[in-house]
Amino acid sequence: MTADSLLLVLVFFPLAGSLLALGAGYQPRLCRWVSLILSLMQMALISLLFFLDLQPHSGPTGTWLLAVDYPWLEGIGARFSLGLDGLSLLLLWLTAFLTVISVLISWTAINLKVGLFHFFLLFLEGCLMGLFMATDLLLFYLFWEIQLIPMFFLLGIWGHARRIYAAVKFVLFTFGGSLFMLIALLVLYVLHGHQTGEYTFSLYQLSQTPLSPTVEGWLYAAFLLAFAVKIPLVPLHTWLPDAHTEAPTAGSVDLAGLLLKTGFYAFFRFAFPLFPGAAQASIPLLLALGLVGMFYAAWIALAQTDIKRLVAYSSIGHMGLMVLALGIWNLMALSGSLLQLFNHGISTSALFVMVGMLDERLGSRNFQDMGGLWQQMPVFSAFFLFFALSSMGLPGLNNFVGEILILLGAFQIRPLIAVLAFVGVLLTVIYILRMVQDSLFGESRRVQPLRDVTPREVLILAVMALPVLYIGLHPGPVLRLFESSLQVMWGQFPMLARSLGG
Amino acid sequence: MTLNIPSFNLASIGPWITLSIFAIAILLADALSPKGNRTAAPLLALAGLAVAGFQTISLWGKNGLDFARMVYVDNFSLFFYMVFILGTALTVLISLQYLKDYGKNLAEYYALLLFATVGMMLMAAGAHLIMIFLGLEVMSIAVYVLAGLFREDARSNEAALKYLVLGAFASAFLLFGMAMLYGAAGGTLFLNDLPGRLTAGFKPLTLLAIALLVVGFGFKVASVPFHMWTPDVYEGAPTSVTAFMAVGVKTAAFAAFARVFFLAFPTLMPDWTMVLWVLAVATMTLGNVVAIAQTNIKRMLAYSSIAHAGYLLVALVAANQLGAVSLMYYLLAYTLMNLGAFGVVILVGRKKDSYLSIYDYAGLGAQHPALAAAMALFMFALAGIPPTAGFVGKFYIFSAAVKAGYIWLAIIGVMNSVVSVYYYLRITVLMYMKPAEADLGPINFAPAVTATLLLTAAGVVLIGVFPGFLYNLALNSVKIFPGL
C-alpha cells in the first residue's frame, strides 16, 4: 500500500465512521464518545500528512503531493480521481478540526436523535474530504451535491424555530445554483469530446480545451453562479443569515467554517483554471462583488440586534474580501486569501461557538438581553474578546496576516481598490467592536447570575485559540503550503498565468 | 395453394409462453382448489417470473428476428424483459398484504399481472407495428381490469372507467396512425422496412402518421397534453396497481416508443424531435409544478410520474446512443425508486388506505426511523440527488441532450429538477422535522413489503454508485439502432 491510497482512507473512513455513530445512537453517551474518537483519529491521520515530507510528484501532471485515480463511470469517462496539494491539505485539516469541535460543542446541546446527528456530522466530513480532493469534475460535482443532504438535516431537525424555512431555502438556493454548473460541466465535457474525441471529466484535460470567448463566458457564468451562491456573494447571500440563525451551533460551525469554503475553493481550483479568459474578463466583476459584499455586509451588520445574525453578516464581509483578492490575482493577494480561507474558518467558527454558548445560558441572542457580561463571565468574555479581535484583524492574530497580504497585494496593482478594501476592513472593526461593547461591557441587564464556561467549553475555546495565535505569530509554514499550489497553478496552466498577467 | 408455415423457434418467445402458462395455471389452481385458500397464486406468479427471468438470461446475446420477422430477439428487448419481470415481481410482493387487508387477495389479480407483463414484452419485442399494438392491448386490458379491482369502491370504478374510455381513444389514435403509415410506406408495417420505404413516400401522410403515433404513445407514457387521466386513475386505483402502472406501463410504452421512432423514422428525425421537444418541456414543467400543490401522496406521485415521463422524453429527443442508453438506465432506476416509494405508501396507508395524505407522514422519522429513512432515500432518488440511481439517470439524460446540442432543453430539465426538489423534500421535511399530528400507531411490517423496500433501497444506491455494468449492458443493446 502506497501513501497515495491514504486519500481513499481519508474519504471513506468518516463515511464508514458515520454508520458506526448511527449504530451507537441507541446510547447517546456511547455515540458521543465514538464520534469524538473517530473524528480525532481522522484529525490525527491528516496531521500525520504534514510530517510525511511529501513532495509534489503524483498525478497525471506530477504536481500533486498525493493522488489516486481509479475508473468509475466507464463509457462516460468519469474517474474516481483525488489529488492532494498544500491547499487541500490545509482545508482537510480544517474540516477534521472543526468536526472535532462540532462533536464537542454538541456534547450537551444535542439530546434529540443523537445517533442521527453524529451520523450527519461525520457523513458531512467524509463528503467534504472528497470535495476538497476531487480532481475529476463529475466526482467533484457529486460530493458538492451530497453535502447538501447532511446539512439540510442538521439545519432542519436540530435547528431553531424557523428551521424548516431556513433548511428548504438553503437547499433550493444551492441546488439551483449548482445545477447550472452541471449543465456547464456537460457542455464543456461534450465540447472537449467533440474536439479531441476523448470524453473525460478530468480537470487537467478539460482545462486544455480551446473555447471560443462567448462559450467560455457562458460556462464561466454558470460556474460563477453556483459558487457565488455557496460563498455567498451579495445578491445571492440571502439564504445564509437565515440558515445561520436557525442552525444549531455545530451546524453554524460547519456551515461557516467549511461549506462556505467549498465555494471559494472551487473558484480557485476549477473556475479559474478551466476558463482563464473569462476569468480575466470577470476581474472587474469580482472586484465589484467583493467590495459590495464587504460594504453591504458591514452596513447590514451594524443594524443587527441578533448577535448570531451579526456574526453571519461578518462572515459575508470576510468572504467579500477574499473574492476581492481573487480579482487582484497576484501571488501575494492570493496567498493572503487562501490563508484567510483557513483563518475565517477558525475565527468565525469560534465566534459561532461562543454565540451558541451564550444562547444556551441566556436563552436569547438579542443585544438587549446582554451587556455587562464581563462581570459575570470573565473567562468567557476574555475568549470572546480574543476571537472578536482576531476576526477584525488585530496584528499578532491570524486574520491580520491574511488581510495585510491581500491589501499589500492589491496596492501593488490597483491602489484605488486597495484603499476601498481598507475602508471595508475598517468597517469590520466598527461593527465587531460594537458587538463586543454591547455584549461584554456596560451595565448588566440581568438579575440572575450567569454560569461561566465549564471545563469542556474552556477546552474547546483554548484549542480553537491555538491556531489563531500560531498563524498570527508564525504564518510562514502555512503560507509555504500554498506555495506549491500557487506555483503549480502558474506552471500547469500557462494560459491562465499569461491571460491574468500574474 | 399451399399454406407456407415459416420456421420458428419457440425458445425465442420462451418468457411469453412461460408467463402465459403460469397465468393460466394460477386461474386453474384457483378454480380447482378449495375456496378461501389463495396462498398458491402469488407463489406461482413469482415462480413464473423467476422461470421467465431465467429464460431471458439464457436468450441474452442473441440478435435476430423470429416468427416471420414479427419478433425481435435482441438485447434491447431482453433488457426490458428483465425490467418488466423485476417490476412485476416487486409488485407481487407489495400487493400481498395490501390485498389481504381489503379482502381482495384474488388469484385473478396475479394472473392479470402476468398477462399484462406478457403484453409489455410483446411491446418491447414487436418488430411489426401490429405486434406492438397487440402487446399494447394485451397489457392495457389487463390493467383496465386491475384498476377496477376494488369493485365496491367508487373511486376505483371511476379510475377503471376513465382509463378504459380514454385508453380506447388512445389505442384508436395509435391504430389510425399505423393505418396512415401503411399507406405512406406502400403496404408494410415491418419496422425494418419502414425507413427505406418512407424516404420515397408521400411526406404529409407520414407526418400525420407520426403525429398520431405520438398521441397514442404519449397517452400511455402520460405525457402532457395526454396526461389528464393520470392523477385520477393513479389516485383511484389500488395502490399496488398504481405502482404497477407507474413503472410497468410507462416502461413498456417507452420501450415501444423508442424502438419505433429510432428504428423506423431516423430520416424524419428533425420533424419528430421538434414535436417531442415541446412535449418534453410541457410534460416536465406541468408535472413538477402541479405536483407542488398536491396533498395526497398518490396524486403527488402521479404528477411526479408525469414529470418523469418528461425527463424520459428528453432522452428520446436527444436521439443519440447515449439518449437510448439513458432511457434504458432511467427506466430501470425509475422502476426501483418508484416501487420503493409506493411500498412505503402501502405500509403507511394501512387499513384500507386511511393514511394517504402527505401530512400523515409527519413525525414518521421519530416513530419508524427505518421506514422514514427508506422513504427519504426514494424521495432523494426521485429528485435526482446523488449518490442515488436517480442522479445517474438524470445525468445520463441531460448529457445526452447536451451531446445532441439541445442545451436549452437540458437547462429547462435542470430547472425542473430544482422545482421537483421542493415537493420531494417536503415529504422528508414532514417525516423528520414536523411532529406527528397524532400517534401514527403501529405499522404492520409485512415481510414481503419489507423485503421489497430493502431490495429497492439497496438497488437504488448500488446502481447509483456502480452504474458501469448497466451502462455497458445498455450500450451493447442500443447498437441495434443504426440511425443513432
Side-chain angles (χ1 to χ4, degrees):
Chain A
M1 184 178 131
T2 59
D4 288 317
S5 16
L6 261 181
L7 299 190
L8 291 181
V9 179
L10 289 183
V11 174
F12 290 107
F13 178 71
L15 291 180
S18 67
L19 292 177
L20 203 60
L22 185 67
Y26 65 95
Q27 215 179 28
R29 219 182 135 67
L30 176 70
C31 176
R32 289 193 180 101
W33 278 107
V34 167
S35 312
L36 182 64
I37 290 167
L38 287 173
S39 52
L40 279 173
M41 280 165 72
Q42 173 83 359
M43 195 176 128
L45 199 61
I46 294 171
S47 307
L48 183 74
L49 290 176
F50 284 102
F51 299 103
L52 281 184
D53 190 32
L54 297 166
Q55 294 304 323
H57 68 91
S58 302
T61 53
T63 49
W64 300 91
L65 300 177
L66 294 173
V68 290
D69 185 38
Y70 298 103
W72 171 40
L73 297 186
E74 284 170 62
I76 283 285
R79 298 179 71 79
F80 191 92
S81 51
L82 304 173
L84 183 87
D85 66 354
L87 173 63
S88 307
L89 183 55
L90 195 67
L91 287 172
L92 292 188
W93 190 85
L94 182 69
T95 308
F97 178 72
L98 288 182
T99 305
V100 174
I101 298 288
S102 300
V103 173
L104 279 173
I105 48 169
S106 312
W107 207 264
T108 53
I110 301 294
N111 292 308
L112 174 76
K113 296 180 194 164
V114 178
L116 207 57
F117 181 83
H118 290 92
F119 165 74
F120 285 129
L121 273 188
L122 293 174
F123 188 77
L124 184 62
E125 184 182 20
C127 294
L128 288 166
M129 294 282 155
L131 197 155
F132 286 132
M133 291 193 291
T135 54
D136 179 286
L137 265 87
L138 194 66
L139 186 68
F140 165 76
Y141 180 80
L142 189 84
F143 285 122
W144 176 271
E145 289 288 40
I146 305 179
Q147 59 162 344
L148 287 183
I149 299 177
M151 201 60 220
F152 167 69
F153 283 108
L154 285 177
L155 275 177
I157 300 182
W158 294 275
H160 302 286
R162 286 172 70 233
R163 58 181 188 272
I164 293 172
Y165 168 77
V168 171
K169 192 171 176 184
F170 162 73
V171 170
L172 289 182
F173 261 73
T174 42
F175 192 66
S178 45
L179 278 175
F180 286 95
M181 173 172 77
L182 178 64
I183 293 282
L185 207 87
L186 289 177
V187 172
L188 184 64
Y189 162 75
V190 168
L191 284 176
H192 183 85
H194 277 321
Q195 285 173 3
T196 63
E198 191 191 356
Y199 286 92
T200 174
F201 280 100
S202 146
L203 167 66
Y204 179 68
Q205 276 167 296
L206 285 181
S207 66
Q208 312 282 336
T209 316
L211 295 168
S212 78
T214 331
V215 175
E216 192 181 347
W218 279 107
L219 298 184
Y220 177 74
F223 273 68
L224 183 69
L225 183 70
F227 301 153
V229 169
K230 205 53 148 275
I231 285 180
L233 287 176
V234 151
L236 300 169
H237 68 287
T238 60
W239 61 270
L240 181 85
D242 285 319
H244 269 311
T245 321
E246 303 306 325
T249 307
S252 285
V253 168
D254 279 0
L255 198 58
L258 303 173
L259 258 66
L260 304 193
K261 305 297 170 291
T262 61
F264 187 88
Y265 170 82
F267 235 119
F268 181 80
R269 175 77 83 220
F270 295 104
F272 272 77
L274 285 174
F275 314 110
Q280 186 195 17
S282 77
I283 277 184
L285 179 71
L286 289 179
L287 291 174
L289 286 174
L291 280 176
V292 168
M294 287 177 76
F295 282 94
Y296 177 83
W299 181 34
I300 303 289
L302 274 172
Q304 295 307 314
T305 52
D306 181 327
I307 190 166
K308 202 168 180 185
R309 267 188 113 79
L310 192 151
V311 178
Y313 276 105
S314 89
S315 182
I316 298 177
H318 279 119
M319 297 309 287
L321 182 65
M322 283 179 242
V323 171
L324 185 127
L326 270 186
I328 302 292
W329 199 263
N330 60 10
L331 271 176
M332 192 180 267
L334 273 183
S335 2
S337 70
L338 295 182
L339 185 66
Q340 272 304 82
L341 209 56
F342 181 80
N343 289 341
H344 173 262
I346 299 282
S347 301
T348 309
S349 302
L351 284 179
F352 275 121
V353 166
M354 302 211 67
V355 168
M357 291 174 181
L358 208 54
D359 193 13
E360 277 174 36
R361 290 173 171 74
L362 287 171
S364 158
R365 297 187 308 244
N366 206 310
F367 283 121
Q368 282 172 352
D369 302 317
M370 295 175 196
L373 292 178
W374 198 291
Q375 295 139 23
Q376 296 179 331
M377 314 162 68
V379 183
F380 173 90
S381 303
F383 272 114
F384 193 70
L385 185 64
F386 176 79
F387 287 117
L389 290 177
S390 136
S391 176
M392 68 180 217
L394 188 80
L397 300 181
N398 58 353
N399 269 286
F400 174 75
V401 185
E403 283 176 4
I404 203 75
L405 279 173
I406 295 177
L407 292 176
L408 281 178
F411 262 117
Q412 287 175 356
I413 304 181
R414 296 167 195 270
L416 179 67
I417 299 288
V419 170
L420 287 173
F422 186 73
V423 175
V425 173
L426 268 185
L427 288 176
T428 315
V429 175
I430 296 177
Y431 64 76
I432 294 276
L433 281 183
R434 190 195 140 238
M435 173 181 84
V436 171
Q437 185 189 13
D438 284 1
S439 53
L440 302 187
F441 303 109
E443 281 300 302
S444 173
R445 270 159 253 171
R446 292 182 57 91
V447 270
Q448 310 98 304
L450 288 170
R451 183 170 46 86
D452 207 340
V453 276
T454 62
R456 175 182 63 89
E457 289 168 333
V458 173
L459 175 74
I460 296 173
L461 297 174
V463 166
M464 293 190 90
L466 287 179
V468 171
L469 279 172
Y470 178 74
I471 291 180
L473 299 173
H474 188 53
V478 179
L479 283 172
R480 261 195 290 287
L481 278 176
F482 307 136
E483 240 166 44
S484 70
S485 309
L486 286 170
Q487 267 162 8
V488 165
M489 191 108 162
W490 254 253
Q492 188 175 335
F493 305 109
M495 210 164 37
L496 185 69
R498 207 166 43 244
S499 64
L500 291 167
Chain B
M1 180 191 163
T2 53
L3 194 63
N4 195 2
I5 298 177
S7 66
F8 58 85
N9 184 2
L10 274 183
S12 306
I13 56 165
W16 310 1
I17 298 177
T18 308
L19 289 183
S20 305
I21 288 177
F22 270 89
I24 295 168
I26 288 171
L27 290 178
L28 284 178
D30 184 52
L32 299 178
S33 65
K35 268 272 170 257
N37 177 14
R38 290 191 179 105
T39 47
L43 290 179
L44 272 175
L46 287 177
L49 289 165
V51 175
F54 181 73
Q55 283 172 315
T56 309
I57 292 170
S58 64
L59 281 174
W60 188 262
K62 289 232 169 72
N63 197 357
L65 284 158
D66 206 344
F67 286 89
R69 304 203 296 137
M70 287 297 231
V71 178
Y72 282 116
V73 186
D74 55 18
N75 287 356
F76 183 76
S77 50
L78 295 175
F79 181 91
F80 279 110
Y81 282 13
M82 289 311 285
V83 179
F84 299 143
I85 289 169
L86 181 71
T88 312
L90 294 176
T91 308
V92 170
L93 288 177
I94 61 171
S95 308
L96 208 56
Q97 187 61 40
Y98 178 73
L99 294 178
K100 268 186 197 153
D101 288 348
Y102 267 95
K104 286 279 182 193
N105 195 16
L106 304 173
E108 53 262 41
Y109 174 86
Y110 299 99
L112 284 167
L113 278 184
L114 293 193
F115 280 130
T117 312
V118 175
M120 293 169 188
M121 290 177 167
L122 263 153
M123 286 176 78
H128 188 280
L129 281 173
I130 288 301
M131 285 298 287
I132 292 177
F133 181 74
L134 259 172
L136 186 95
E137 285 306 300
V138 170
M139 171 186 81
S140 300
I141 290 171
V143 177
Y144 298 147
V145 181
L146 286 173
L149 186 72
F150 295 164
R151 271 178 300 149
E152 298 82 2
D153 182 359
R155 284 181 314 159
S156 179
N157 276 322
E158 185 201 334
L161 194 64
K162 210 168 213 169
Y163 197 32
L164 170 66
V165 172
L166 291 176
F169 253 111
S171 298
F173 271 105
L174 198 69
L175 211 49
F176 204 40
M178 289 175 188
M180 298 287 170
L181 206 58
Y182 190 73
T188 184
L189 285 177
F190 284 106
L191 293 179
N192 273 355
D193 299 345
L194 280 174
R197 302 281 192 100
L198 287 176
T199 42
F202 180 52
K203 211 176 170 199
L205 201 57
T206 316
L207 291 182
L208 183 63
I210 289 179
L212 291 170
L213 290 182
V214 168
V215 175
F217 285 127
F219 176 85
K220 286 294 167 195
V221 303
S223 106
V224 174
F226 320 112
H227 68 286
M228 300 294 183
W229 57 277
T230 318
D232 292 335
V233 174
Y234 276 30
E235 188 189 356
T239 310
S240 56
V241 177
T242 309
F244 185 65
M245 275 197 281
V247 299
V249 173
K250 199 186 286 283
T251 309
F254 263 113
F257 207 156
R259 163 101 72 184
V260 171
F261 278 66
F262 287 165
L263 210 54
F265 311 129
T267 47
L268 296 158
M269 220 175 255
D271 297 304
W272 57 263
T273 46
M274 194 183 62
V275 177
L276 291 186
W277 194 101
V278 176
L279 288 190
V281 169
T283 308
M284 285 188 287
T285 312
L286 184 124
N288 280 321
V289 170
V290 181
I292 291 178
Q294 304 306 318
T295 53
N296 179 298
I297 185 101
K298 277 168 83 176
R299 275 188 99 83
M300 192 204 94
L301 286 172
Y303 280 103
S304 128
S305 106
I306 294 175
H308 279 91
Y311 300 132
L312 288 158
L313 283 174
V314 172
L316 282 186
V317 173
N320 50 17
Q321 280 211 343
L322 186 56
V325 168
S326 65
L327 189 82
M328 296 169 80
Y329 179 89
Y330 203 90
L331 282 167
L332 175 63
Y334 179 71
T335 299
L336 288 174
M337 56 203 186
N338 220 29
L339 273 173
F342 274 108
V344 178
V345 170
I346 283 182
L347 279 185
V348 175
R350 280 165 292 167
K351 304 231 172 3
K352 301 206 171 184
D353 290 335
S354 14
Y355 299 95
L356 285 182
S357 159
I358 56 169
Y359 299 107
D360 293 326
Y361 287 76
L364 195 67
Q367 300 186 26
H368 300 285
L371 190 60
M375 189 62 165
L377 176 70
F378 297 132
M379 290 295 122
F380 283 132
L382 285 168
I385 292 173
T388 58
F391 166 73
V392 181
K394 276 210 179 100
F395 170 74
Y396 284 159
I397 286 182
F398 294 142
S399 308
V402 171
K403 223 172 193 169
Y406 296 101
I407 294 180
W408 275 107
L409 189 59
I411 291 177
I412 295 170
V414 152
M415 281 161 60
N416 264 292
S417 301
V418 182
V419 174
S420 75
V421 168
Y422 180 79
Y423 62 85
Y424 292 126
L425 211 57
R426 186 166 54 177
I427 303 292
T428 317
V429 165
L430 282 167
M431 288 191 303
Y432 283 98
M433 301 168 198
K434 289 266 165 78
E437 287 173 355
D439 187 27
L440 289 175
I443 284 180
N444 177 13
F445 282 96
V449 187
T450 316
T452 310
L453 292 187
L454 284 176
L455 208 68
T456 46
V460 164
V461 175
L462 269 181
I463 71 169
V465 178
F466 304 107
F469 171 70
L470 279 169
Y471 178 87
N472 291 335
L473 217 63
L475 193 66
N476 177 323
S477 312
V478 300
K479 298 251 159 69
I480 56 160
F481 300 122
L484 298 186

